[in-house]
Structures are given as structure tokens and as C-alpha cells.
Amino acid sequence: MRNLTKKILFPALYLACSAPLLAQYTFFTPKDAFVIEVSLPNSAEKRLPMYRNAITSLTVQGDRILGGTTAKEGLSPYLFVASISGRKVTALKDLQDIIPGQKSIATGFCKGAGNHLFAGTMGQKNQPAGHLLQVSIGNENAIEVKDLGVPVAGEGIFTLLSNKQGTELYGISYPGGRFFTYNIATKKTQVFDQVAPKEKHLKDAHDFAIGPEVYLCKALVQDNAGLVYGSTAGNRVFAFDPAKKSFQFLETPLPAVWGREVLGQVEAWAKAPDGKLYGGNAGDGQLFVLNSVTKKIKNLGKPMMMGRLQALAFARDGKLYGLAGGAPGYSHLFSYDENAGFVDLGNPEFKMVEPGIEQGILWRGFQLSTLAASADGKYVVMGEDEALSQLMIFPVGQ
Amino acid sequence: MCAATAFAQKTDKNVAFIEYPDFPEAHSTWGSIGYNAASNTVHIGVTNHANNIGLYTFDATTNAMKLNGFIKDLAHLRPYQWQGKVHSKIVAAPDGSIFFSTDGGESREEYLMEHPQGYAGGFFMKWNPKTGLQNLGIGMQYESIKDVDIDPKTGTIYGITYPQAHFLVYNPEKNQVRDLGRLASSHVPRVLFTDWWGNCYYVDWRQRLVKYEKDSDSLVFARESLPAFPGTPGSKIITGITAYAKDEAKGIIYLITYGAKLIAFHPEKNGIGKVEDLGGVIETDKANAWGPYVPNLNIGKNGKLYYIIGGHGNYVLKDKTVLVEYNPATHKKTILREYPITEITEATGCDIRDKDGNLYFAARRNPSGLGDSTRPFMIQFNPEKELRK
């Protein structure tokens, strides 16, 4: 054993401990991938300050990346725009200047009519009420924000989706978990209690020591027929019919590891070009596909051992890219297609070139929480959830 | 316990190589050394670089090295709480207690794949010769703690984790760990240091100083990066500072960067102080000025700096480590000794000086020159007078 240790283990350990890091694994380092430095305290560059920059909402419009952040308790979030071709941040907007006292923009952005995007905010712990935001990017990348008010009194906006026409919004409130609709033209809100957690669910959640962040639906999706899908506490999936204002609960539950059904939560959806709905279950990190005709859910398995599946998007190579895992471990980027199945791409490590570090440094993404593809699927953009968060971008081949 | 003995022919009246007794599998030390003024002792964490760490005390008064025990036994660790090494420096409180942290030291420490023998996380630890070892708990789940430092006035412990480089502030009295977030990128700079007010310093990915300012309870970032030679690769920039030594009387903390710059930092109680570029650690002629590797730094009672260049396969003289003296008054750098890497392969340790003015380095040697079959030992060096036997 001692000889084995000397001959094999020690050399391996030497490699593992040398600086810079050498190890038995490799990073995801596609050609032409890059990092945009978004956050940096005390800088002459356009950067977000510390603890106000966790990138929890992300979308790509042409060359422009629009991000929304979550701040540490007591601080206010930002909106920002970055250019893919310019590889830099071009505009910042402090939400405190528009709506004081908010903590996060974590719903993602959904499209309205014209150039308008919509997002929801969450307030601070003691004052959770959140606002609907109408966001647009104006001339010279200026970020224009309009406050559309609080759709559910006293509650934050945990989840938000727009319909295909961009005329109506659907959301989940926090912490009550109430479903609401918002008509963009009339500004009328309607609130429903059908998917809010029941007493039994709250007891189960208490027994599992989990809060609404874990059991409320984190993502909604609309099928080609117009039905809106999301999850409820108790590992169920619901479908809302906007025309009939009615709910149905699917018979097939979310996939679960035995005994851990309480953790079921859809936290990401992606609609395939053929209309299939792919979902990510936070509880145990399964990818699943929902057949909107049969209303059956098929468990596609897990890209890795950890729970969480925080983001999904299709790129132009036809593959579904996603972020699995997360704290207290690390997020892993993965890809999925029906033929090849899962490929765990691990932690990405891309180059950051910025003023002052023109030679470039390597940046490794540990806590990636958001992912979006450009409309043409050429770029996949990932946002970090850190005290100082950056954007990581990689091109995708045909 | 064993008396200090000369090991090799190259030891001399000013230099002694001191062995660690009772640990046949000992492999290395990793900056895991520190001085305890209350007892005039030097403490060292010595590892087999797998799963066993010996905690040693060198009594500078009696010149005796003693194994206090193994961390896993002293801390009552279970096999699934294995620790690969102590990578942190060892810092002392005024009452004579010492503090340090533990490290996984292997790729299996990373939370990549829920390894069946995966790493639980690194611990903060306290040891006192009267009360023994106290396990102060994990800093961050699954993360090593690469370095610690202490605010001697408040007892606050600072830590930096690996691989995610989170800066931790730990209050042992309240058992409160605060995670102030990730500060680095693809490499975790290994060195934290404090000033005489108890503020703690680190670097960000641009090699800018980051100060935990205790009065404001916040992180303060320097506007500019530390000095670097033109052409210094990004891989050197993100690696930060490798060593420091304090001259409190002059109000200077000397720093060495991974890009081989020697720096005089003049800390201020509030805000970031002045940074003075003292040039490279050694003249490199045609070789890259940013190339030399210096993971150690000591300051003599004479105010001069002493450091040993070389390690990790990076040497300024072929297959030799060199002991260098730097005189801040004249800015002259002089090679005092040359050692074949079979005698000194690498040395670590910062700011370790006993009452007699002896300086200490935690070193290792590879007698065969092959692979990484090293043996750790401690270097005692007095730049001004002969060592007392």
C-alpha cells in the first residue's frame, strides 16, 4: 500500500495541488467562447456593484443581452444591457431609481407586443410586494422601465409568462402561490386560488424544512393550443385554459425520487420547434417532456447526480442546453437531444478580455442560474448567481 | 521529541534543517507554518498528502521539535471527514492558542460528481497546548479552506475557500460564519494577510487588493491592480499574492506576487493604502521577469527580506533553489545560498521570526529528484548571527 501510495497517489496529488489547477477533469471550453465582465466594484468601467448583480433574468434580442438581477437582502436590483458583438456592458439601470425597495427581478423576461418586454419583481423579506415591469431598450441601448403596479396585493411576482400574442401575462405570486392573469391593454388583474398550496402541502413543506422558494412553481409555459402549464406543491402539474379561465390537474405527477416528491418544482421550460414541452424538475434534477395532447409526462432522466435544473433553451444545432445542479455543489451545463441523450458538459471556463486585463484571464462558472439562446440559436448566454456575477457566452454550430 | 539536527552538508552556522519526528509517511508542508509569540514556538501542519496531518510544535527556546498528534485523532474526525492537508498558515492569538484550517488536497475534494468518498469540507481549528485541539466546524460545505488569518484584537478569523474562492468571516465566540461571496475566478489565490488594525486583505481576479475593513464591516476594492511586468500572463494575474511579511515599525507590509513582483504596501486603517513597486524578486536576464516562483517571505530583525525562489518545477537557476536577501534601504537583491533541488525543492511560510531573530521556512526535498516523492522539513535561518545549538 505504501509503495502504491508513493508511486501512484503522490504524483497524482502533486498534479492536483499544483498551481494553476490541474486535475483529472476538463472544462467546457468551446472555441470563441467568452466572458463579459458585468460586475466589478470600484471601476471606471460600466459595471454592477457587489451584492446587486446575481443574474436571475436573461433574454437575448438580436445582438443585445438584457439582464435582470437579484440583490442581497436590503439592496436593490439592476437591469443591464450587454452587446454580444461588442463583448461589453452598454447600459445599466438601477431599479431603486424607479421602484424603491425591491430585491429581485427573477421571473425572466417575456415578450409583449412590439418592442416591449415584461418582468416581475419581488420585494424585501418584510415587504414582499412585487411590481410588474414593462421594459424596452431604446436609443443607444437606454433601458426604459415602466412600473405597471402590484398585481397581487402584498405579494411578490415569483413567475411570469406572456401569451403568444403578447397581450396577456400569467404569473405566480409569492409567498402565497396564487395564479394571476394580467391584461396588458386593460391593465386588469384576475387572481385565482386553485394552484395555491393547501394545508397538507404546507405541513409537508414544514416537515421538509422548505419554504415557498422550493415548492412554488418557478416557470410557466404555453403550448400551441394556448394552455398554460406549471407545477403546484405536491408534485403536480396543472394546465390553465385562458379562454375558459379554468384549471385541470394532470394525472401524471412530476418525476421524483421515491420519498422526495415534496421537492417537486418545475423551474424551467423550453418549447421545442415541434411544440413538445421540455421541463426541468428542481427536486431531483430530472428533465421531462410533456405531451400536450395526451397530457402525459415522460421522465427523460437526470443529466447528473445533483438536484436542480434551473434553465433550458434550444440552440441552432437542435440541441437542448440546460443548467443542472447548483449550490451547495456547482451548476453543470448539459446538452440533450433525442438521439444522443444527455452530455454533461460540466463547468464552463471561458476567456475574459477587458480593459486592464487585455491579455485575458480564464473564468470558471460555478453558480450559473440563467441561460438563454439568441433568436437564431447561434449564441447561448449564461448568467452567474454570485456576489460578483458575469455573463458567459458560447457560439453554437449549425 | 527530537533535537534539531543538521541534515545535509549544505547546512551551516546560520542555517539548520530540522526534521519532523514520528511520521514516516510525511510528504510535504504547504504554507502551514506560523509563529506563536506567547510561547516562542513555531507550529507546523505536516501531511502525507492523502489523509493524515501531523501537528508539530518547535520550541525555539529549547530547539526541540515535537509531534502533538494527528489532526484526525485530535479532532475526532470520522473517515468520511478525511482531510488532505493543512494549507493555511498557522496564526496565533494573544493567549497562545493557534488557529488554522484544513484542506481536501485532492481532486476528489471537488463537488463534481457526489464521489462516494467525497469531501465533507474544510474545518476551522483551534489548538492550545493546555486544552488541546478544538474543531470549530466547517467553513463552507464541500469546500476546502485554503488560508486563514486572525484579527488578534477581536479573535475574528478570516478564511478563503477552494475551489469557489469565497471569503469567509468567522466569529468563534458566536459560532457565526458569514460568507461574503466569491472573489476570484479560475484560480484561488492562496494568501490572506492582515494589517495591525486587524483588517484582512485578499485579491480579486484583476489582482487588485480587496480589504475586509472591520470598521465598516465591508469589502473595499482597490481601484488599480497590483504592479505587474509587461506581458505577465493572465494565469499569473489571477493567482494573486504568494507571500507577505510585515514591518509594523515602518508601517509596511511587503508582498510578492505570482508574477514575481516585490511590493511595499503601506496599509491605512480605512481605505486602501499606497502601493510601491520594488521591482522583480531577482534579476532574470533574458528570461521572463514574471517567471520566478516565490511562495515564501520573511523579514529579519535587520529589516531585510529573505525568500527562497523556486518550486513546482520553476527555478531561476537550473535545478537549484536560491535564498535571496533584499535590502529595502539599498534595493539590492543578493543570492546568499544556492541549494540543489534534491536538498530544497520548495519552501513556504510567511513572516515567521522568533525572539532570537531566527527565521523559519516550511520546506520539502526530493532526494531522488524523481516524481514527487518529497520529504518535509523545516529551515531555521538566522541572517545576522550563528544559530544557537
Side-chain angles (χ1 to χ4, degrees):
Chain A
M1 179 62 195
R2 199 169 153 188
N3 281 341
L4 178 74
T5 301
K6 279 188 173 176
K7 287 178 181 172
I8 299 173
L9 192 55
F10 284 163
L13 295 176
Y14 176 77
L15 286 174
C17 297
S18 298
L21 177 71
L22 294 170
Q24 292 91 338
Y25 55 89
T26 56
F27 297 107
F28 177 64
T29 57
K31 190 170 178 284
D32 298 327
F34 60 96
V35 173
I36 298 177
E37 188 179 54
V38 175
S39 309
L40 183 72
N42 195 18
S43 171
E45 305 298 326
K46 206 168 272 181
R47 298 289 184 269
L48 295 176
M50 197 166 193
Y51 303 132
R52 300 178 62 186
N53 56 67
I55 302 169
T56 47
S57 289
L58 200 57
T59 191
V60 184
Q61 288 197 315
D63 182 56
R64 296 183 293 200
I65 300 163
L66 175 66
T69 72
T70 290
K72 198 172 156 183
E73 187 68 26
L75 300 174
S76 188
Y78 270 85
L79 291 151
F80 67 89
V81 173
S83 162
I84 292 176
S85 60
R87 299 189 176 193
K88 64 178 183 182
V89 174
T90 57
L92 306 175
K93 177 71 85 178
D94 185 346
L95 195 65
Q96 181 73 10
D97 297 339
I98 301 157
I99 310 171
Q102 298 302 290
K103 182 176 185 291
S104 73
I105 305 165
T107 57
F109 296 100
C110 40
K111 281 186 179 174
N115 190 31
H116 292 146
L117 293 163
F118 293 88
T121 69
M122 300 250 287
Q124 305 289 339
K125 192 173 181 182
N126 296 327
Q127 291 184 315
H131 294 240
L132 276 175
L133 307 179
Q134 179 183 292
V135 183
S136 53
I137 304 172
N139 293 334
E140 297 181 353
N141 292 318
I143 302 168
E144 295 161 1
V145 181
K146 188 175 173 187
D147 179 7
L148 301 179
V150 178
V152 181
E155 300 248 326
I157 303 171
F158 194 62
T159 313
L160 197 67
L161 176 77
S162 61
N163 63 1
K164 195 165 61 177
Q165 298 78 15
T167 56
E168 192 165 50
L169 303 177
Y170 312 107
I172 301 286
S173 72
Y174 174 96
R178 302 169 80 192
F179 185 90
F180 67 88
T181 61
Y182 178 86
N183 185 298
I184 294 172
T186 65
K187 302 187 188 325
K188 188 182 171 191
T189 301
Q190 196 170 357
V191 182
F192 303 85
D193 288 330
Q194 284 88 334
V195 302
K198 308 295 182 287
E199 192 174 336
K200 179 191 180 309
H201 302 137
L202 295 175
K203 182 186 180 306
D204 288 345
H206 176 267
D207 292 349
F208 262 68
I210 58 171
E213 296 82 3
V214 176
Y215 61 72
L216 294 184
C217 172
K218 191 70 190 79
L220 296 167
V221 71
Q222 189 172 38
D223 69 13
N224 287 340
L227 292 182
V228 176
Y229 298 87
S231 64
T232 69
N235 215 42
R236 301 289 300 278
V237 172
F238 71 85
F240 173 73
D241 186 335
K244 298 177 183 170
K245 307 286 184 194
S246 65
F247 292 84
Q248 64 172 301
F249 291 86
L250 275 53
E251 286 185 11
T252 320
L254 285 173
V257 169
W258 172 67
R260 291 164 55 90
E261 291 84 352
V262 176
L263 301 174
Q265 176 199 46
V266 176
E267 60 176 344
W269 288 105
K271 187 153 77 171
D274 64 3
K276 283 182 184 168
L277 303 176
Y278 289 85
N281 181 17
D284 283 299
Q286 301 96 337
L287 181 72
F288 61 89
V289 61
L290 168 61
N291 184 322
S292 58
V293 177
T294 64
K295 302 289 184 287
K296 298 285 186 190
I297 290 172
K298 182 181 178 185
N299 181 1
L300 299 175
K302 289 162 57 67
M304 60 181 294
M305 291 177 77
M306 275 189 270
R308 303 298 304 274
L309 208 155
Q310 299 189 63
L312 289 169
F314 281 94
R316 70 173 177 177
D317 59 0
K319 291 179 183 173
L320 180 62
Y321 287 87
L323 296 171
Y330 326 139
S331 311
H332 290 209
L333 176 68
F334 72 91
S335 68
Y336 174 83
D337 71 56
E338 288 182 354
N339 296 321
F342 291 109
V343 178
D344 182 352
L345 301 167
N347 283 169
E349 187 181 62
F350 302 164
K351 197 169 185 181
M352 177 194 285
V353 178
E354 296 283 357
I357 41 173
E358 287 81 2
Q359 71 273 55
I361 64 168
L362 290 178
W363 193 269
R364 175 180 176 183
F366 285 102
Q367 302 304 329
L368 294 156
S369 61
T370 42
L371 177 149
S374 57
D376 59 5
K378 185 179 175 186
Y379 290 99
V380 172
V381 180
M382 298 177 285
E384 292 185 320
D385 178 357
E386 302 273 8
L388 290 162
S389 311
Q390 321 299 350
L391 286 173
M392 304 188 75
I393 298 147
F394 66 95
V396 177
Q398 291 283 7
Chain B
M1 191 180 294
C2 75
T5 53
F7 169 77
Q9 302 89 323
K10 291 281 180 162
T11 57
D12 53 45
K13 291 174 180 176
N14 296 82
V15 178
F17 290 179
I18 299 166
E19 306 299 307
Y20 300 113
D22 307 321
F23 193 4
E25 293 177 10
H27 171 267
S28 50
T29 45
W30 297 84
S32 47
I33 182 169
Y35 177 64
N36 191 347
S39 50
N40 196 32
T41 49
V42 178
H43 303 271
I44 314 98
V46 179
T47 178
N48 68 349
H49 214 290
N51 53 16
N52 204 13
I53 307 157
L55 183 62
Y56 285 83
T57 297
F58 177 75
D59 187 327
T61 307
T62 62
N63 260 3
M65 180 72 84
K66 177 189 173 187
L67 173 64
N68 300 299
F70 292 100
I71 298 288
K72 64 184 180 184
D73 300 324
L74 298 173
H76 308 288
L77 300 183
R78 304 292 172 245
Y80 59 82
Q81 293 174 309
W82 58 268
Q83 299 296 324
K85 58 186 171 180
V86 173
H87 195 289
S88 75
K89 71 173 88 58
I90 295 178
V91 292
D95 72 350
S97 299
I98 60 169
F99 293 83
F100 56 94
S101 61
T102 59
D103 181 285
E106 306 181 33
S107 287
R108 68 170 165 155
E109 77 175 281
E110 289 218 25
Y111 195 74
L112 299 167
M113 61 287 188
E114 294 172 358
H115 190 287
Q117 297 162 47
Y119 186 53
F123 294 93
F124 290 111
M125 291 189 172
K126 174 183 180 179
W127 183 82
N128 183 294
K130 293 173 187 162
T131 56
L133 193 132
Q134 185 182 356
N135 185 345
L136 300 176
I138 280 176
M140 208 172 140
Q141 200 174 6
Y142 310 126
E143 294 270 303
S144 290
I145 306 174
K146 277 291 175 197
D147 198 16
V148 296
D149 212 327
I150 187 170
D151 173 0
K153 292 184 176 65
T154 63
T156 299
I157 305 293
Y158 306 106
I160 192 74
T161 75
Y162 173 95
Q164 295 190 73
H166 281 233
F167 185 84
L168 307 180
V169 179
Y170 174 56
N171 181 330
E173 274 188 16
K174 294 182 180 173
N175 187 34
Q176 181 190 59
V177 179
R178 293 163 59 207
D179 176 0
L180 300 194
R182 183 187 65 164
L183 297 179
S185 59
S186 288
H187 193 274
V188 180
R190 301 301 203 247
V191 175
L192 295 170
F193 65 92
T194 51
D195 61 22
W196 20 93
W197 298 285
N199 302 306
C200 185
Y201 298 83
Y202 193 58
V203 288
D204 69 8
W205 57 91
R206 289 169 167 261
Q207 211 175 86
R208 305 186 309 169
L209 284 173
V210 181
K211 175 187 187 182
Y212 172 75
E213 192 171 81
K214 56 188 275 194
D215 284 356
S216 61
D217 186 27
S218 64
L219 293 175
V220 178
F221 289 71
R223 185 78 162 184
E224 305 297 332
S225 299
L226 290 172
F229 287 107
T232 302
S235 60
K236 294 262 182 181
I237 297 294
I238 61 174
T239 311
I241 292 164
T242 54
Y244 72 90
K246 302 175 192 175
D247 189 337
E248 184 171 355
K250 290 182 179 170
I252 298 173
I253 300 176
Y254 293 98
L255 309 173
I256 294 176
T257 69
Y258 200 75
K261 274 280 188 184
L262 191 56
I263 291 163
F265 170 53
H266 304 257
E268 294 174 3
K269 189 177 182 190
N270 295 305
I272 302 281
K274 191 178 79 173
V275 169
E276 190 182 351
D277 185 351
L278 302 178
V281 294
I282 197 74
E283 179 57 48
T284 57
D285 295 325
K286 290 179 181 173
N288 290 319
W290 44 260
Y293 177 53
V294 190
N296 58 80
L297 184 63
N298 273 312
I299 183 165
K301 281 191 167 179
N302 56 11
K304 296 176 183 174
L305 302 180
Y306 297 91
Y307 46 94
I308 297 171
I309 303 179
H312 277 63
N314 178 351
Y315 301 97
V316 289
L317 295 182
K318 183 171 168 48
D319 294 336
K320 285 183 178 176
T321 47
V322 293
L323 172 62
V324 176
E325 176 185 83
Y326 172 75
N327 185 341
T330 62
H331 299 291
K332 188 178 176 189
K333 290 148 191 160
T334 309
I335 293 179
L336 301 180
R337 306 278 196 287
E338 296 177 13
Y339 297 95
I341 58 172
T342 51
E343 292 181 15
I344 300 178
T345 306
E346 183 173 308
T348 59
C350 294
D351 215 15
I352 306 140
R353 188 179 72 207
D354 70 16
K355 286 178 180 169
D356 284 343
N358 298 317
L359 309 178
Y360 297 87
F361 299 90
R364 58 186 178 133
R365 69 172 77 87
N366 184 344
S368 70
L370 302 172
D372 190 40
S373 298
T374 64
R375 287 287 301 173
F377 63 103
M378 188 177 73
I379 299 171
Q380 186 185 38
F381 166 59
N382 195 308
E384 298 183 280
K385 61 184 183 184
E386 291 183 12
L387 293 171
R388 187 169 45 81
K389 299 296 179 189

